[in-house]
């Protein structure tokens, strides 16, 4: 990335929220400070709400724990997972910004092959602000990138592209493997820096990882529901997968783009593969039915908005996946609850999302109010 | 790149000679090409003797060979210019064919190492492809990579790879208008990845640097789409783009994979984009019809071989595209003639 001679304001400073789910601490923010400090943070504290999560000084943030989630959503809070990073999607719902960047608290700044620190947030912004090309594959990857273009044979009528809804980043060091692969290859590290951003073609679904993810909340926000995972649920570690499959089929229907590739972050923590296996193992079987389901999803022409698509999708989930496991009936219901909650918090008629308007301010003092 | 042991007897390298002096091209590639059998086909329109350096194991085919084999089909099928290579494919009996334009030399990777493009193509062709679900870490069979979380286990064995599409450093394969608009644009970015182009996703396949499995998709690499003013610069052709889409449709139908990415070759400066643009721009315009046609093409479930698929594609071209432009009508005819020729020659 080239840096300008005279300093410019960080791009989208007032239009982007950084959503971070955490159950441990936010020490990792120190390393990200040069890149994140200008932006507003939404911290979603999972687990014990009485624990105090210290946010490093100098960051502008709002923090929500489980008590806040219950208070703000009431009975609809049932759709937000507990004891799982899936709770991050609550942050997506309460945000008032156009763009979201979400990152895990064990993800650090990576270096590019020249040794330079990678500003992952800025790359996501570049990805989101430039078009995608889902209808025809460009062999030189992102054609809008400096030093690249559309190749010979690429029709000119398709060169305008479509708006980008999602920017999916990758990870150096600990790769995002499932438990069986982790068990077989405990020492494998991702050391390959692939210098590309590319659009995932229309009609192709992919495994979306929530560790390093940007999206346009106005374009696709209501589809970014991370499902029912964690405590009291039969499955975990499929939250981001579920959101990715739902979001991609909706993006395909609405002609929105999904990009993957740069930026890289440095993933530092390998989770316990045996713990992961317990969480995932049902998913490993269920995905054999889930994938063909998503591959055959078609929407009616009345589904012209993300919310309508999502509701229609929830009905299809209930109809077609319930036979795989009753969990999917619950999940389908939660999908509806999520949309209802989203509409409540985000309809233009309502002025503020929270019952307590003070929740939006960044003063740490309010943490104590919420934790009681 | 994973280490694959290459059986040299399974590979032919086809060289379409559009210029007489092959010396510098072959010297640059000597470390690689000298290990394999080469099929050199001289452009039938090229007058004079080819200059081929010593120390290579090759068969040379010229106009008289082409006329001898093709016979009466020569009315429908032209092997002029870039299309001369297809005669080489016809003559080969090997499992894998690699073909690189004669204005390309070996590239170096980001660490400065010599890129053995042939070895990479063979690796791509002999490891599985994964067209049914996208892997965000690109080629899962590559050393140091794997399938990511969320990738269905039933899809992890992959399918055979039919086509390997490489890329180009320096002069990228851009069309004439694009290169004319950005005359200084050179591709300097080495993207260290191979990925499978998903099923049902169409793409522009550049013929500059490819490898394919002749046993699986051989007949689909065909000379069919000839522009009225086609020339001997890639800016003046789109024949490979057409062929590539036929191959992709065939691969999608037969559940084979198409890979794109590594290897890179270094493409030398040649020609003038603006001159080419003045001479020939029809190809650019025709893509507007070609791409939607291939994207909407659906073959019958009974099309179980590459030849069957091509016959159906040709029928579709004749019905839907031919009425709009004679170049399509000729393409459909040529495809039919080619399939007949291929069957005749392959059974000899």
């Amino acid at each position: 990335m080239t840096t300008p001679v005279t300093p410019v304001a960080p791009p989208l400073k007032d239009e982007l929220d950084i959503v971070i789910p955490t159950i441990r601490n936010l020490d990792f923010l120190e390393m990200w400070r040069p890149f994140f400090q200008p932006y507003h943070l939404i911290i979603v504290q999972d687990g014990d709400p009485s624990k105090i999560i210290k946010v490093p000084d100098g960051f502008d943030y709002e923090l929500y724990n489980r008590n806040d989630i219950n208070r703000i959503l009431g009975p609809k809070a049932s759709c937000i997972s507990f004891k799982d990073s899936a709770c991050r999607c609550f942050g997506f719902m309460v945000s008032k910004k156009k763009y979201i960047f979400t990152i895990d608290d064990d993800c650090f700044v990576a270096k590019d092959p020249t040794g330079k620190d990678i500003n992952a947030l800025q790359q996501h912004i570049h990805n989101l602000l430039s078009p995608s090309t889902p209808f025809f594959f460009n062999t030189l990857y992102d054609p809008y990138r400096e030093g690249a273009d559309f190749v010979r044979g690429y029709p000119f009528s398709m060169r305008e592209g479509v708006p980008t809804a999602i920017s999916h980043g990758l990870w150096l060091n600990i790769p995002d493997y499932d438990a069986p692969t982790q068990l077989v290859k405990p020492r494998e590290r991702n050391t390959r820096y692939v210098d590309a951003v590319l659009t995932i073609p229309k009609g192709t679904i992919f495994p979306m990882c929530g560790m390093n993810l940007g999206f346009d909340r106005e374009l696709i926000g209501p589809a970014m529901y991370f499902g029912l995972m964690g405590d009291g649920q039969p499955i975990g570690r499929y939250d981001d997968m579920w959101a990715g499959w739902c979001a991609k089929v909706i993006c395909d229907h609405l002609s929105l783009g999904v990009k993957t590739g740069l930026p890289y972050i440095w993933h530092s923590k390998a989770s316990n593969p045996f713990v992961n296996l317990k969480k995932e193992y049902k998913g490993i079987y269920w995905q054999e039915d889930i994938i063909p389901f998503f591959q055959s999803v078609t929407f009616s022409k009345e589904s012209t908005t993300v919310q309508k698509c999502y509701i229609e999708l929830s009905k299809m989930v209930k109809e077609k996946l319930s036979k795989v496991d009753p969990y999917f009936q619950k999940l389908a219901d939660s999908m509806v609850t999520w949309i209802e909650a989203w509409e409540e918090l985000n309809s233009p008629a309502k002025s503020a999302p929270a019952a307590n308007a003070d929740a939006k301010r960044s003063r740490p003092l309010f943490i104590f109010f919420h934790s009681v | 790149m994973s280490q694959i042991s290459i059986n040299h007897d399974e590979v032919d390298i086809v060289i379409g000679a559009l210029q007489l002096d092959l010396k510098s091209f072959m010297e640059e590639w000597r470390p690689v090409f000298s290990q394999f059998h080469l099929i050199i086909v001289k452009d039938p329109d090229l007058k004079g003797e080819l200059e081929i350096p010593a120390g290579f194991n090759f068969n040379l085919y010229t106009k008289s060979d082409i006329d001898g084999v093709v016979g009466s089909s020569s009315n429908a099928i032209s092997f002029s210019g870039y299309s001369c290579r297809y005669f080489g494919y016809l003559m080969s009996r090997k499992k894998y064919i690699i073909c690189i334009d004669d204005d390309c030399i070996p590239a170096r990777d980001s660490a400065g190492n010599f890129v053995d493009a042939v070895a990479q193509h063979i690796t791509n062709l002999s490891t599985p492809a994964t067209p049914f679900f996208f892997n965000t870490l690109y080629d899962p069979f590559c050393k140091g990579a794997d399938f990511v979380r969320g990738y269905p286990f039933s899809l992890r064995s992959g399918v055979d790879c039919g086509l390997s599409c490489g890329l180009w450093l320096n002069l990228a394969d851009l069309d004439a208008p694009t290169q004319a608009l950005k005359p200084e644009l050179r591709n300097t970015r080495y993207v260290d990845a191979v990925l499978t182009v998903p099923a049902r996703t169409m793409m522009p396949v550049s013929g500059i640097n490819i490898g394919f499995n002749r046993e699986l998709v051989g007949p689909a690499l065909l000379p069919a789409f000839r522009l009225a003013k086609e020339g001997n610069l890639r800016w003046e052709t789109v024949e490979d783009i057409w062929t590539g889409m036929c191959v992709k449709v065939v691969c999608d139908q037969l559940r084979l994979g198409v890979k794109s990415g590594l290897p890179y070759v270094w493409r030398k400066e040649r020609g003038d984009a603006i001159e080419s643009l003045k001479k020939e721009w029809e190809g650019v315009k025709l893509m507007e019809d070609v791409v939607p046609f291939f994207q909407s093409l659906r073959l019958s479930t009974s099309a179980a071989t590459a030849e069957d698929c091509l016959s159906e594609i040709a029928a579709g071209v004749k019905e839907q595209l031919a009425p709009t432009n004679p170049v399509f009508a000729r393409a459909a005819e040529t495809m039919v003639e080619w399939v007949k020729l291929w069957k005749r020659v392959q059974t000899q």
Side-chain angles (χ1 to χ4, degrees), chain A residues 99-111:
Chain A
Y99 301 97
I100 298 276
F101 168 54
T102 184
I103 185 169
D104 279 11
D105 62 11
D106 59 355
C107 295
F108 293 82
V109 177
K111 289 193 190 293

Side-chain angles (χ1 to χ4, degrees), chain A residues 29-90:
Chain A
L29 279 178
E30 262 327 312
M31 199 189 186
W32 286 103
R33 189 183 284 278
F35 302 139
F36 287 4
Q37 191 155 339
Y39 297 88
H40 181 72
L41 314 182
I42 296 180
I43 316 291
V44 184
Q45 178 184 338
D46 196 15
D48 182 2
S50 65
K51 180 175 170 184
I52 306 295
I53 302 268
K54 186 179 180 320
V55 182
D57 293 333
F59 283 98
D60 175 52
Y61 71 94
E62 55 200 275
L63 185 146
Y64 300 92
N65 61 27
R66 192 72 205 184
N67 295 340
D68 300 313
I69 295 172
N70 290 336
R71 178 176 46 80
I72 292 168
L73 294 185
K76 296 197 179 70
S78 60
C79 75
I80 302 295
S81 304
F82 183 58
K83 289 276 194 64
D84 195 286
S85 62
C87 64
R88 76 177 77 218
C89 63
F90 177 78

Side-chain angles (χ1 to χ4, degrees), chain A residues 143-198:
Chain A
Y144 305 103
R145 195 170 169 195
E146 195 194 304
D149 212 308
F150 290 96
V151 296
R152 178 173 56 99
Y154 208 105
F156 274 78
S157 62
M158 292 186 187
R159 295 192 186 198
E160 215 177 274
V162 296
T164 303
I166 296 174
S167 165
H168 177 260
L170 297 175
W171 349 272
L172 291 171
N173 195 41
I174 308 289
D176 189 24
Y177 289 162
D178 52 48
T181 310
Q182 277 180 293
L183 286 165
V184 169
K185 293 180 166 187
R187 291 201 214 283
E188 186 150 276
R189 299 289 177 265
N190 186 21
T191 56
R192 181 174 290 112
Y193 185 92
V194 177
D195 191 3
V197 179
L198 62 112

Side-chain angles (χ1 to χ4, degrees), chain B residues 41-307:
Chain B
V41 186
K42 183 177 165 223
D43 174 2
D45 293 345
L46 192 58
K47 304 278 184 276
E49 288 295 311
L50 284 183
E51 296 172 59
I52 301 170
F56 292 94
N57 172 16
F58 68 93
N59 281 84
L60 172 63
Y61 298 97
T62 61
K63 180 170 172 17
S64 54
D65 300 302
I66 297 173
D67 291 341
V69 169
V70 177
S72 57
S73 313
S74 61
N75 289 334
I77 307 173
S78 168
F79 290 95
S80 293
Y82 284 106
S83 294
C84 63
R85 60 183 50 199
Y86 297 105
F87 188 77
Y89 303 165
L90 193 62
M91 292 293 101
S92 172
R93 289 291 172 274
K94 300 289 174 65
K95 181 170 180 181
Y96 300 117
I97 292 182
I98 314 296
C99 190
I100 295 172
D101 277 8
D102 64 5
D103 56 1
C104 297
I105 59 175
R108 293 201 173 260
D109 67 17
S110 328
N113 302 316
F114 176 101
V115 173
D116 182 346
V118 173
Q120 181 66 58
H121 276 303
I122 295 169
T123 299
N124 293 349
L125 291 168
S126 52
T127 50
T130 51
F132 305 118
F133 198 75
F134 191 85
N135 192 46
T136 49
L137 275 188
Y138 312 108
D139 179 4
F141 300 101
C142 188
K143 189 162 183 244
D146 211 306
F147 291 97
V148 295
R149 175 174 57 97
Y151 203 105
F153 276 79
S154 63
L155 294 178
R156 293 190 188 201
S157 38
V159 295
D160 287 332
C161 181
L163 179 69
S164 165
C165 308
L167 294 172
W168 346 267
L169 288 173
N170 194 42
L171 205 67
D173 192 13
L174 310 177
D175 56 41
T178 308
Q179 192 78 70
L181 200 61
K182 298 176 170 182
E184 308 302 318
L185 182 63
R186 297 291 178 270
N187 187 21
T188 56
R189 186 172 292 121
Y190 186 93
V191 178
D192 186 9
V194 179
L195 60 104
T196 299
V197 181
R200 289 180 317 280
T201 296
M202 284 299 123
M203 60 184 289
V205 173
S206 166
I208 293 173
N209 170 18
I210 57 163
F212 61 96
N213 184 322
R214 195 192 62 83
E215 288 172 6
L216 292 177
V217 299
L221 280 291
L222 42 63
F225 196 63
R226 201 170 189 88
L227 298 173
K229 292 190 207 148
E230 181 162 305
N232 283 359
L233 291 168
R234 286 289 184 191
W235 289 318
E236 296 163 12
T237 71
V238 278
E239 57 87 16
D240 49 346
I241 313 293
W242 175 275
T243 296
M245 281 196 258
C246 292
V247 179
K248 186 63 166 59
V249 169
V250 168
C251 285
D252 287 350
Q253 175 77 4
L254 304 183
R255 297 177 71 83
L256 302 170
V258 172
K259 293 184 183 176
S260 184
L262 303 180
Y264 281 87
V265 294
W266 178 273
R267 192 160 170 247
K268 295 196 288 196
E269 319 277 330
R270 200 158 76 91
D272 180 326
I274 296 174
E275 286 308 313
S276 288
L277 189 58
K278 282 184 199 166
K279 186 180 155 199
E280 164 55 65
W281 47 267
E282 206 199 354
V284 163
K285 204 167 67 121
L286 288 171
M287 280 301 124
E288 298 297 333
D289 295 316
V290 169
V291 173
F293 167 76
F294 278 97
Q295 283 177 326
S296 60
L297 198 52
R298 297 284 176 270
L299 304 184
S300 69
T301 45
S302 55
T305 64
E307 290 91 332

Side-chain angles (χ1 to χ4, degrees), chain A residues 79 314 318 328-338 340:
Chain A
C79 75
S314 73
K318 190 171 252 193
F328 289 100
Q329 277 178 320
K330 254 196 344 177
L331 180 58
D333 290 339
S334 290
M335 289 168 74
V336 175
T337 307
W338 160 265
E340 288 170 356

